[in-house]
C-alpha cells in the first residue's frame, strides 16, 4: 500500500479521543464516589477533545487525499460505498465533538452544578467515542478484511 498517508494520521485522533472519553468517565465516577468533581480532570477532557478534533480533520484530509490518489479504494470501486459510510461517520464525529465543546464552553468549571450541560457533555463523549470505534473498525476492515466488507454488501 505504497504512498498512502492516511494510516499515519489516524492513530492520534483515536488516542486523543479515547483519552477524552476516559477522563470524562474518571471525572464522573470519581466525583460520584467521593463527591469531589475535579475541574482539572474535566479540563483535560476538554483539551483532549480539542486536540482530537484537530487531528480528525487532518485524518479526513489525508483520507480524501488517499482516495483521490486511488491508492487503495476509490469512491467508484466495489468497496466505494463503504467510503461514503466512513465520510458520513467522520462528519458526525466532527458534529458531535463540536457540540461537546460548544456546551462545555458554557460551563468550563464545576460542570456538576449544571445537570443539563453535564448531560450534554456525558452523552456527546459516549456517542463520539462509539463513532470513533466504528470508523476505526471500518477503516481497518477496508485494509485487512476487504473480503468481509464485500460479503457484507
Ligand atoms: C473523510 C473521511 C475519511 C476517509 C475518506 C477515509 C478513507 C480511508 C481509506 C481510503 C483507507 C484505506 C487506507 C488508505 O488508503 O489510506 C482508510 C483506512 C483507515 N481509516 Fe480512514 N478515512 C476517513 C476518516 C477516518 C477517521 C476519522 C478515522 C479515525 C479517527 C479513520 C481511521 C482509519 C483506520 C484506522 C484505517 C486503517 C489504516 C490501517 O491500519 O492501515 N479514518 N480510511
Amino acid at each position: 500500500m505504497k504512498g498512502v498517508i492516511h494510516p499515519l494520521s489516524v492513530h492520534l485522533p483515536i488516542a486523543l479521543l479515547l483519552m477524552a472519553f476516559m477522563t470524562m468517565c474518571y471525572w464522573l465516577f470519581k466525583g460520584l464516589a467521593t463527591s469531589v468533581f475535579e475541574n482539572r480532570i474535566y479540563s483535560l477532557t476538554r483539551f483532549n477533545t480539542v486536540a482530537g478534533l484537530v487531528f480528525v480533520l487532518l485524518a479526513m484530509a489525508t483520507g480524501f487525499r488517499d482516495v483521490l490518489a486511488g491508492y487503495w479504494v476509490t469512491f467508484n470501486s466495489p468497496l466505494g460505498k463503504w467510503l461514503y459510510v466512513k465520510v458520513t461517520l467522520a462528519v458526525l464525529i466532527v458534529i458531535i465533538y463540536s457540540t461537546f465543546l460548544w456546551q462545555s464552553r458554557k460551563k468550563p468549571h464545576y460542570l456538576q452544578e449544571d445537570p443539563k450541560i453535564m448531560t450534554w457533555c456525558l452523552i456527546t463523549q459516549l456517542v463520539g467515542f462509539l463513532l470513533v470505534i466504528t470508523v476505526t473498525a471500518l477503516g481497518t476492515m477496508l485494509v485487512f478484511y476487504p473480503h468481509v466488507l464485500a460479503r457484507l454488501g
Side-chain angles (χ1 to χ4, degrees), residues 1 4 6-7 10 13-14 56 59-60 63-64 66-67 72-73 83 86-87 90 135-136 139-140 142-144:
M1 212 166 63
V4 295
H6 179 63
V10 297
I14 296 166
V56 163
M60 291 173 77
F64 278 122
D66 284 0
V67 171
W72 192 248
V73 267
L83 281 178
K86 276 203 88 185
V87 172
V135 81
T136 301
T140 306
L142 265 176
V143 176
F144 299 103

Side-chain angles (χ1 to χ4, degrees), residues 24 58 66 76 104 150 152:
M24 188 87 252
L58 178 70
D66 284 0
N76 46 30
S104 67
L152 284 177

